[in-house]
Amino acid sequence: GEKMELTDNDNLTLAEMFREEFRMSSNMKTLPKEKKGPWDVSGEENMQLSQLFLANWIKGGESNVTLLSDMRAKAVLTYKRHSWENSGTHKVGFTHTSTLGTRVSNDAFDLQSKYGFKATKKWYYSFMTTFKTQMFRNYASNDKEKKNLKSTMLSPAYLQLVVGMDYKVTNLSVLLSPYTASLTIVADTADIDQTKYGVSKNSRTSWVNGFSVNTTWKKTITYGITYSTKMELFYEYFHKNGQKRFSWENVLDMQINRFLTTRLLTELRYYDNESKKFQFKENFSIAFKYKF
């Protein structure tokens, strides 16, 4: 066949075509990212399932199935000097054994909303409200007949209104409140003795006032290992034997892969209207983790 030869003009045209193609592809790579809205929404779910079966096991023990779930969600709005942080946590666990049936082993439902107006580079005028309760009916571990109810939804529940100054830097918040109003609610006074939670015999609610400190901190120790802590302190100062409340949660996450994580969680708690002793909880697990 005929041999086609390219002229200088043809070569110039091809060169221009390649330059144009390269320019267009370069522009496509540098397109501006989609603009994010004012809300930053995030969350995660950690779920653990364990099962134990025993047959003729002379060393003791009992077959059981345990399901644990820890879900946390957060929505933050930042606009100029305004900050509005909202968070929710639901921790629940169920254990089933042949002798006791299905029991609730962990139950906590917490909501928090905090508004801040920037006063200086690191300080905010802040107002916060928190709400804590549980979702299910809980009994003592030795109450096989389920006759003595320990707690249920809104029994007890705690509502706090906090006014103060919030020191905020990256991943750290310390809210100091000279005035905090705290409401204790026991809605089911038929099955639960409200006086065990500091509520008078003829009432379902109790208001107390005091000061509080609320601290949160999160630290990435190294790649795949994250530590977070949350501390809450309340002291009633208008009463000689005022209520004292303290809780401290620590979470260490060690990522295995995209969906699996090793989690160590501890919680130290002292609510003297519930018990004069410190309460402690520890859980070590390999959990399925999903972020959204």
Side-chain angles (χ1 to χ4, degrees):
E2 295 184 2
K3 183 177 180 181
M4 187 175 67
E5 295 183 359
L6 295 177
T7 64
D8 291 340
N9 289 335
D10 292 330
N11 289 331
L12 181 61
T13 302
L14 288 174
E16 289 177 346
M17 289 174 60
F18 281 119
R19 282 198 298 269
E20 181 65 17
E21 183 70 21
F22 178 77
R23 185 184 66 81
M24 292 179 64
S25 62
S26 299
N27 289 341
M28 289 178 64
K29 293 180 181 178
T30 59
L31 286 175
K33 295 182 179 179
E34 183 179 354
K35 186 178 180 180
K36 294 179 63 176
W39 286 96
D40 183 9
V41 180
S42 62
E44 64 179 44
E45 163 69 22
N46 289 271
M47 184 170 291
Q48 177 196 2
L49 176 66
S50 65
Q51 181 266 338
L52 173 67
F53 175 74
L54 301 175
N56 302 317
W57 192 256
I58 63 172
K59 294 185 178 181
E62 186 176 10
S63 300
N64 65 78
V65 178
T66 300
L67 175 66
L68 298 174
S69 171
D70 185 331
M71 185 178 70
R72 302 167 188 249
K74 190 173 185 179
V76 180
L77 173 66
T78 304
Y79 178 72
K80 295 183 178 179
R81 299 175 68 181
H82 304 272
S83 174
W84 186 20
E85 302 176 17
N86 303 274
S87 63
T89 302
H90 184 211
K91 294 183 283 189
V92 63
F94 298 97
T95 299
H96 179 83
T97 64
S98 56
T99 56
L100 295 177
T102 301
R103 292 296 182 96
V104 177
S105 57
N106 190 21
D107 189 7
F109 180 73
D110 300 347
L111 295 175
Q112 178 177 295
S113 182
K114 180 172 66 174
Y115 167 77
F117 182 80
K118 196 168 188 177
T120 65
K121 185 177 181 180
K122 298 180 180 179
W123 287 93
Y124 287 74
Y125 302 112
S126 292
F127 173 81
M128 182 175 73
T129 177
T130 64
F131 177 75
K132 301 175 181 290
T133 188
Q134 53 285 315
M135 303 296 291
F136 302 97
R137 299 171 70 87
N138 300 284
Y139 301 87
S141 58
N142 58 357
D143 185 5
K144 297 182 180 181
E145 303 298 326
K146 296 184 178 181
K147 292 183 177 180
N148 299 311
L149 186 65
K150 289 179 59 180
S151 62
T152 186
M153 183 182 292
L154 298 179
S155 300
Y158 297 97
L159 175 66
Q160 277 195 345
L161 305 177
V162 181
V163 178
M165 295 292 293
D166 190 10
Y167 177 79
K168 294 175 64 175
V169 293
T170 304
N171 295 326
L172 172 66
S173 169
V174 181
L175 176 55
L176 306 174
S177 171
Y179 177 76
T180 299
S182 180
L183 174 68
T184 302
I185 304 169
V186 180
D188 187 357
T189 56
D191 297 321
I192 297 176
D193 181 5
Q194 67 270 37
T195 61
K196 292 182 178 180
Y197 295 101
V199 179
S200 61
K201 188 174 181 180
N202 299 318
S203 180
R204 287 188 171 91
T205 60
S206 172
W207 276 103
V208 294
N209 302 286
F211 76 86
S212 66
V213 179
N214 293 266
T215 302
T216 60
W217 182 53
K218 188 173 183 179
K219 173 70 173 178
T220 299
I221 300 174
T222 186
Y223 180 77
I225 301 179
T226 304
Y227 169 74
S228 61
T229 184
K230 181 178 181 181
M231 188 275 290
E232 298 176 355
L233 172 68
F234 171 81
Y235 182 80
E236 181 189 2
Y237 49 55
F238 288 143
H239 194 277
K240 183 178 179 180
N241 297 314
Q243 292 187 21
K244 295 172 282 293
R245 302 175 190 168
F246 171 78
S247 66
W248 184 23
E249 181 190 67
N250 296 276
V251 180
L252 181 65
D253 281 325
M254 294 165 281
Q255 200 75 26
I256 298 175
N257 56 34
R258 183 180 178 185
F259 295 110
L260 293 178
T261 184
T262 300
R263 164 167 287 197
L264 175 63
L265 185 149
T266 66
E267 185 172 350
L268 182 65
R269 174 186 173 97
Y270 179 80
Y271 275 44
D272 67 349
N273 65 318
E274 296 179 352
S275 173
K276 299 301 181 182
K277 298 180 179 180
F278 277 94
Q279 306 171 51
F280 181 73
K281 179 176 64 178
E282 180 269 337
N283 177 247
F284 181 76
S285 65
I286 296 179
F288 171 83
K289 183 175 183 177
Y290 178 73
K291 289 187 176 182
F292 55 90

